[in-house]
Structure formats: C-alpha cells, structure tokens
Amino acid sequence: MVEPIFDYQFRLILIGDSTVGKSSLLKFFTDGKFAELSDPTVGVDFFARLMEMKDGTQIKLQLWDTAGQERFRSITKSYYRNSVGVLLVYDITNYASFEHIPLWMMEAQRHIEPHRPVFALVGCKLDLVNAGGRREVTTEEAQSFANQNGLHFVETSARNGVNVEEAFRMVTQEVYTRIRSGEYKVEDGWDGIKTGFARPNSLDFNLVMAEPEKSSCC
Amino acid sequence: MSTKIDAKNISNTASEKNDWNQNDDDDWDDWGDAEENFEDTPDSNFLEDNVAKGNINAENNNSLQATKKTVEEPTQDFNKNKEKVTEVRKTENIITATTQKPTSGWGGLFGGVVSSVLSTASEGIGNITSTMSQGLNQVIGVPDPEELARMQAAETAKLHSELKVDDNHVEQKVLKDNQQHRVQEQQEGTPSFGLNIVSGVTTLGTKVLNTGLDTLEGIGKKTMHILQENDPLLMNKRKLLGLEQEKPNLSEVLKEAKKDADHLENALKEMKLEKSREMLRFDLLFENNCGLVHLEALEILSKESVLKLQKLQDAVSGNALKELQETITEVKELMELEDLEGESDGDYDVGELNTRLISAIEDAELQINFDDIISNWRQALEWFKSAPVNGTHDTVQETFAKSITLLAEACALQINKLHKIAELLLVKEHHSTANEVDCIVQLCKQFTMHLNGLTNRFAATLTGIQLDAQTETDDIIKTRISTLFAEMLVAIQQIEKAFHLFLPILQIGAV
C-alpha cells in the first residue's frame, strides 16, 4: 500500500514488444518478486511505488504497463499522452524486439507531443545471458543506439533484480531534475506530473488537525 | 615602457571600478568587513561614501590624464611615472576603504537577528527556570521558620556591617546617629537594609542586590503564609519534614516525569491511530487499489471514442448520417432503459456470485473471469464466519476497518474489470451491440448489488456486536454503520460513472 504522503506523482509508461518482460520488470520493482508464469497483459495494467530522491523528495510513480500484443496497439496508444517518462523495453535474447525500439520510440514521441518525455532504453532477461543463454543484442549496440538518441540505458534482470531499481531511478531522477530546472511543470489537463498531498510539517500541526476529526467520528 | 602601460592599465581598472554604483552593487562583496563598521549608522555611512567617491573621481581623472600625457610624450620621466604609480595605489587604497564602508546594513540585520534569537532563547530559559523553581518548591522542604529567621538576622547583620564600611569610605560626613537609627530599624526586622543611602554611589551592584533580596523576601513571606494556613504552629509540616526528608519528594519528581513521558507517548499513539483512521477512507483505499487510475484510463478510452464518433459523423452525410445518428441514439436509449440500483442482503456464497457475474457478461463473448472479485468475497465470507459477537471499542473499529477495506477493494476490482471489458470491446472484431449493451447493464447491476450485499453483511455484523461496557458505545456502532453506508454510496457512484463512460465505447462498436 502506498502511503498518501508524497510530493510529486510521475506517470511512467512501459512499451515494447509482447513477452519482452515489461510486466515482470514492474512486478519485481513494486513487489520484489519474480513470477515464473504470467498472463499476457490486457490493454493496460497499473503499478505504483514510492521513490525517494537524494534531497528527500518523495515521488509516487504511477506505472502504466501496456500490452505488447499487436491487437491492443490501437488502444494502448491512447494511454501515451499523459506520460512524463517512457521505458522502451526489449529482450536481450530477441533481436527483433530490439529492432522495433525505434518504432516504439517514434510512436511515443508522436502521441506525447508537445510534451517531451524522458526516454530510457531497458534490456531485459540479463539472467538468461549470464546463465549461458544466447545473447542477440550486444551491450555495445544498445549503448550506441542509446547514445545516438540521447536515451538512458541499462540491462536488467527481473529474475534476480539486477538493475531493476536503477532503471526506474534514472528516469525518475531525470524527470525530477527537469522539474527543478524548470523544464517540466505541473500543468492542468496533463497528468504526466502531479503534485501530491501536502506533508504535515510538525507535530503540533498534526495534533491541532486531529482534534476536530476526533469529535466528528467518536 | 612596461611600467607605464601597467600604470595605465591599473588606473583604467581603477576608474572602471569607480564607475560602479558602489552603494548598490558592492554591498554584497563586503561580507567579511561587516564587523569593522558594525556601529556605523547607514546615514553617516552614505555621506562618507559619497565624499570618498568624489575624491576618487577627482584623483582618478587626474591620474588618467597624467598617464595619457605620458603616452603622448615619449620622452621618459621616471620620477613622474613613479608618482603616477603611487597615485594609482592611493586611489586603490581609497577604493578599498570605501568598499569597506557601506556595510552597516548587514551589521544591523545581523544585530536584529541575533537579538531576536537571544530574546527567544531567554524566553525559553525563563520558562524553564520558572518550571524549575516550581519543582523546587515542591521538592525542597522549607526550613524551620525559626532557623529561617535566625539566618535572616545573621545575614542582615553581615550585610549591614559591609554597608557601613562602604559608607565610611565614600561618604565621610554622614551623620553617625542616622546610621545607628537605620541599624536599629534593620535589627528589628525591617528588610529594606537601608540601601538607599548608598544608592547614589554603588548604583548597579546594590540595585541588583536590592531587587534580589526583595524578591527573596517576597517569596519567603508568601511561603510562610501558605505553610501556616490551617496550621499556625507548623506542627504538621514539621512532622512531615522530619519524617520524610528528601526521599519521597524525589520519587514524586520521578513520578511526575514519568507521567509527562506517558502523556507524550499517549499523544503520539493517538496521532498514529488518527493517521491509520485517516487511511480508512474509501477514496484513499480505492486509489491504492488502482481503482481510480482504471477509471481514468476508462475515461481516456471513452473520450477517444467520442472523438472517433464525431469524426465519423463529420465524414458522412445524407442518409448515411441519419442512419448513423439513429444507431447512436438507439444505443443510448438501450443504456438508459434499466436502473442500476439493486438491493441485496449479501446472503450468497462465492460460487453463486461467480455464476451470476459470468452469466451477466457471457453474451458479450469476451474472455473474462472474475477470479479477483470472487477471492475478495471469499475473504469477506471467511471473516464473517469468525465474526466477533461481543467485544470492546477496538472490536468495532477492527470490524469497520475490515469492511471499508474490502468494500474499497471490491469496488476497485470491479472498475478494473469494467476497464478491461471496455478495452476488449474496443479491439473486438465483430459486434452485437444489443447484447453488449445488455451485458454491461446487467454486469453493472450485479456489481452495485454486490457492493450493497457486502455492506449489508458487514453492517449486520457490526450491529450484532455486544459491547462489554455499555457506555456511549451504541453510538460508536451507529456512526460506523452510517459511515460505511455513505462510503458504499460513493462506491456505487464509481460504478455508475464507469457505466456512463461505456456509452460512446458501445456506440463506436455499433457503427
């Protein structure tokens, strides 16, 4: 359960071919668990987690896990617009999923315009490669694609949790930095960034606030 | 030659520096010099500054002209040149002097801050000391009044002799009988000690002493007064003091401290409880279960469908448009035909609920199951099995917490399901709109009925709780139940909202 106390809410979206591991990545990130089997996502699913920035700012991440299946493509596009961060997810052991990344990126850019989201390139299933499996996408190739397009890049494993936290942290940190620099703002009619509930400042404040509440419900 | 150029450069920079408005722009870089000018008033400073500035201007101009001259006249005059250099140095000196000046603003600012800090601090200390002296009054027993009197007398004598010496030293011609008179007075117990005589000479010290003693005397008198109330001879108090000296008082203090700590702890506990109670709100729990975001996503799909419908209507004309509009209206009428509200006592098991939900949706031909909603209901039924029959205030609170949590979860799962159904309808190839509309209506009806049933079952459990202590507890149950029903209405509203969002989605399937 996410505490209702946070300073900002960022909406991040995960896109990429089906079965690359978007849902598993999110499952590990929010639950710390890896599911051996999982049903293909229908439309979109949601996850949430709180993340603390270096300066103590609490960020609630609302994570939109889109279906990779072709048949849902028409509706998942509708969900792009209100995102401030996009994780482009591919499978390290599946070259086709990496080949489609530029298409996914263009789609996202087109739908999120005029907003300019933070993009990150995330390779999944690193554990399969480390266990002697066949790697189809080299780190160098992915890294150079990321450099060319100004993307953050990381290779992860949802099975053992390698770099999962980092993948989300680098996007969140970048969004937060852009808020601090004034590049991003909270806007009406756009849900990419929202401000959270105010944090009570002091003990006294809490006690004062508690009084009327008590009398009304006891 | 190089010296000349240097000199020119320096003088140039100097004059440049000088052109800045020093009063405004240079304030900030004088931080380190603030102490030097701490007591300067800003006005005098400003004046000084202006004067200094004028000087520099004059001097600088001179030096500039002079350097120019030297450049024009290639014949070297070292002495002159040297003069110029010194002149420039002078200007620099003056500049540094002026830059140091306009700083009392900072000083003033600091002074203000410091004094305010000090005053706050001393206020705090004042509070502490007063508390402490109160504590001391409770702790330290008052000495025997006789002894007190004796001590006082001794002190008075001592003080007086001191004063006498003082007087002799300073005022040689004071009348002796006058002094004697005062001594008499004091020995009789007058507490003023005749300090007035010397007040002209030893001002501060005596003043402090005087007030201090006066206060002490005041306290002493007051204490005696209180002690002698109902006990003129102080017999009881003396007994008390004699038997139990400082020991019981110390424990009393400890008790007091513990009481304070307990009080604070209770306040903190109360706060935590308050917080957890605040968490027990439908809207928060609904959001935490992703109900709100599913509703939002459904809204996105709904809006998108409205846009598509609009585009379609714009694209066609004549009979085609008429037909299109007829279909759209038809769907709308179908949707509005039935009322969503339904009552239920919640008296059904998981299998029954599952059958009802499945049969409601089956004509829409979607691959959908209700496992999560069923599991939520199973949890509720398990809870009812071991539902508390009697208990305390906490039991009521616990039951209420369970009910609101399960209600919010059930509602969030239902919204989730409706969102999924909308997505599946939108990607479906072939539509049978009449069936689809009927399915959505039936399902939403089942959903609201289930929310109603769940709430009724919990309300029944709450009503059934026999409380141990019958003090104002009936009210607690009543308020909890009415809160629960209010939250149920909010939950049903969410389902209704979702239902209305379905309209364009079903319409776009029909056309």
Side-chain angles (χ1 to χ4, degrees), chain A residues 1-2 4 11 42-46 60 62 64 71-72 75 78-79 191 206 210 213-214 217-218, chain B residues 270-271 274 277 279 284-285 287-288 290 293-294 296-297 300-301 304 419-420 423-424 426-427 480:
Chain A
M1 194 181 277
V2 178
R11 188 174 288 184
V42 172
V44 67
D45 267 329
F46 303 108
K60 181 185 173 183
Q62 195 188 70
W64 290 50
R71 65 181 182 130
F72 290 114
I75 48 170
S78 323
Y79 302 133
D191 295 330
N206 257 342
E213 188 80 11
K214 221 189 305 178
C217 63
C218 294
Chain B
E270 190 86 0
M271 234 173 62
E274 212 60 57
R277 198 174 296 166
M279 284 295 291
L284 275 179
L285 292 166
E287 198 187 331
N288 273 329
C290 289
V293 69
H294 274 291
E296 241 175 88
I300 291 173
L301 295 178
E304 202 100 323
H419 174 216
K420 293 283 162 211
E423 286 176 331
L424 289 170
L426 280 172
V427 299
R480 289 290 179 275

Side-chain angles (χ1 to χ4, degrees), chain B residues 300-355:
Chain B
I300 291 173
L301 295 178
S302 182
K303 277 183 182 162
E304 202 100 323
S305 302
V306 171
L307 284 175
K308 268 187 207 162
L309 281 172
Q310 195 59 50
K311 258 188 204 162
L312 264 176
Q313 290 186 47
D314 290 346
V316 295
S317 58
N319 269 350
L321 180 65
K322 209 178 158 194
E323 229 170 80
L324 187 74
Q325 279 168 340
E326 262 171 24
T327 320
I328 291 173
T329 326
E330 241 171 67
V331 176
K332 198 175 178 222
E333 279 164 0
L334 272 172
M335 289 280 283
E336 284 164 351
L337 213 61
E338 285 202 57
D339 203 1
L340 287 185
E341 270 172 54
E343 288 277 322
S344 166
D345 53 7
D347 193 14
Y348 43 81
D349 61 10
V350 285
E352 200 180 332
L353 178 67
N354 197 25
T355 321

Side-chain angles (χ1 to χ4, degrees), chain B residues 214-417:
Chain B
D214 277 349
T215 317
L216 260 178
E217 192 213 352
I219 293 169
K221 270 185 176 170
K222 184 85 188 161
T223 315
M224 286 310 288
H225 183 71
I226 292 168
L227 281 172
Q228 283 177 328
E229 247 179 9
N230 302 326
D231 190 13
L233 288 172
L234 291 170
M235 286 312 285
N236 291 342
K237 265 130 204 156
R238 230 176 283 186
K239 203 171 148 195
L240 203 83
L241 281 169
L243 281 174
E244 334 161 309
Q245 283 168 345
E246 284 185 16
K247 235 179 171 181
N249 288 319
L250 182 64
S251 73
E252 222 167 81
V253 172
L254 287 174
K255 261 187 218 160
E256 195 77 21
K258 197 175 177 297
K259 220 165 142 191
D260 281 354
D262 280 354
H263 188 71
L264 196 73
E265 212 167 276
N266 276 337
L268 279 170
K269 228 189 234 168
E270 190 86 0
M271 234 173 62
K272 263 188 201 159
L273 208 87
E274 212 60 57
K275 233 182 196 164
S276 68
R277 198 174 296 166
E278 258 171 47
M279 284 295 291
L280 277 183
R281 268 168 36 204
F282 175 80
D283 50 352
L284 275 179
L285 292 166
F286 182 63
E287 198 187 331
N288 273 329
N289 284 298
C290 289
L292 196 66
V293 69
H294 274 291
L295 196 63
E296 241 175 88
L298 181 59
E299 200 177 339
I300 291 173
L301 295 178
S302 182
K303 277 183 182 162
E304 202 100 323
S305 302
V306 171
L307 284 175
K308 268 187 207 162
L309 281 172
Q310 195 59 50
K311 258 188 204 162
L312 264 176
Q313 290 186 47
D314 290 346
V316 295
S317 58
N319 269 350
L321 180 65
K322 209 178 158 194
E323 229 170 80
L324 187 74
Q325 279 168 340
E326 262 171 24
T327 320
I328 291 173
T329 326
E330 241 171 67
V331 176
K332 198 175 178 222
E333 279 164 0
L334 272 172
M335 289 280 283
E336 284 164 351
L337 213 61
E338 285 202 57
D339 203 1
L340 287 185
E341 270 172 54
E343 288 277 322
S344 166
D345 53 7
D347 193 14
Y348 43 81
D349 61 10
V350 285
E352 200 180 332
L353 178 67
N354 197 25
T355 321
R356 268 197 265 155
L357 294 176
I358 294 279
S359 65
I361 197 77
E362 80 185 331
D363 285 346
E365 293 166 340
L366 301 167
Q367 298 274 311
I368 205 118
N369 65 59
F370 299 95
D371 294 351
D372 36 13
I373 297 173
I374 298 304
S375 136
N376 167 277
W377 184 232
R378 188 174 293 123
Q379 259 189 68
L381 290 175
E382 287 294 320
W383 167 266
F384 293 137
K385 257 188 223 162
S386 55
V389 182
N390 45 40
T392 58
H393 182 281
D394 286 345
T395 323
V396 176
Q397 188 57 34
E398 208 181 308
T399 312
F400 175 71
K402 191 77 190 169
S403 64
I404 204 89
T405 311
L406 284 174
L407 176 72
E409 194 186 302
C411 182
L413 289 172
Q414 291 177 353
I415 294 288
N416 178 344
K417 207 53 70 178

Side-chain angles (χ1 to χ4, degrees), chain B residues 108-169:
Chain B
L109 192 70
F110 267 94
V113 172
V114 168
S115 72
S116 81
V117 167
L118 277 177
S119 73
T120 328
S122 61
E123 261 175 48
I125 289 168
N127 286 340
I128 293 168
T129 37
S130 74
T131 334
M132 267 174 65
S133 61
Q134 270 172 27
L136 283 174
N137 278 346
Q138 286 170 5
V139 182
I140 303 170
V142 178
D144 195 305
E146 279 172 20
E147 182 134 340
L148 231 161
R150 217 180 324 129
M151 270 161 59
Q152 222 170 36
E155 246 174 38
T156 322
K158 206 173 135 199
L159 251 168
H160 179 69
S161 62
E162 272 172 25
L163 282 174
K164 224 157 107 187
V165 174
D166 250 19
D167 287 352
N168 282 339
H169 273 284

Side-chain angles (χ1 to χ4, degrees), chain B residues 51-215:
Chain B
V51 172
K53 219 165 148 187
N55 285 343
I56 296 165
N57 273 333
E59 283 207 38
N60 247 332
N61 285 342
N62 285 343
S63 74
L64 253 178
Q65 279 164 9
T67 21
K68 261 185 199 160
K69 240 191 241 163
T70 39
V71 175
E72 279 163 15
E73 295 166 18
T75 31
Q76 303 246 335
D77 187 347
F78 284 106
N79 281 339
K80 213 180 170 189
N81 222 351
K82 263 182 197 164
E83 257 177 49
K84 243 135 265 161
V85 175
T86 31
E87 247 178 352
V88 170
R89 279 204 189 124
K90 246 193 246 165
T91 7
E92 277 188 314
N93 282 343
I94 294 168
I95 288 165
T96 28
T98 39
T99 47
Q100 282 172 4
K101 290 288 175 190
T103 48
S104 71
W106 286 109
L109 192 70
F110 267 94
V113 172
V114 168
S115 72
S116 81
V117 167
L118 277 177
S119 73
T120 328
S122 61
E123 261 175 48
I125 289 168
N127 286 340
I128 293 168
T129 37
S130 74
T131 334
M132 267 174 65
S133 61
Q134 270 172 27
L136 283 174
N137 278 346
Q138 286 170 5
V139 182
I140 303 170
V142 178
D144 195 305
E146 279 172 20
E147 182 134 340
L148 231 161
R150 217 180 324 129
M151 270 161 59
Q152 222 170 36
E155 246 174 38
T156 322
K158 206 173 135 199
L159 251 168
H160 179 69
S161 62
E162 272 172 25
L163 282 174
K164 224 157 107 187
V165 174
D166 250 19
D167 287 352
N168 282 339
H169 273 284
V170 188
E171 287 179 47
Q172 288 177 342
K173 288 174 185 176
V174 174
L175 288 171
K176 270 196 174 179
D177 53 342
N178 205 0
Q179 271 185 26
Q180 222 107 42
H181 175 66
R182 288 220 165 69
V183 172
Q184 204 84 32
E185 259 183 22
Q186 279 152 27
Q187 274 168 350
E188 275 164 21
T190 337
S192 75
F193 303 129
L195 285 176
N196 287 340
I197 302 173
V198 284
S199 67
V201 194
T202 48
T203 44
L204 197 68
T206 39
K207 225 184 211 168
V208 170
L209 202 63
N210 203 0
T211 18
L213 287 170
D214 277 349
T215 317

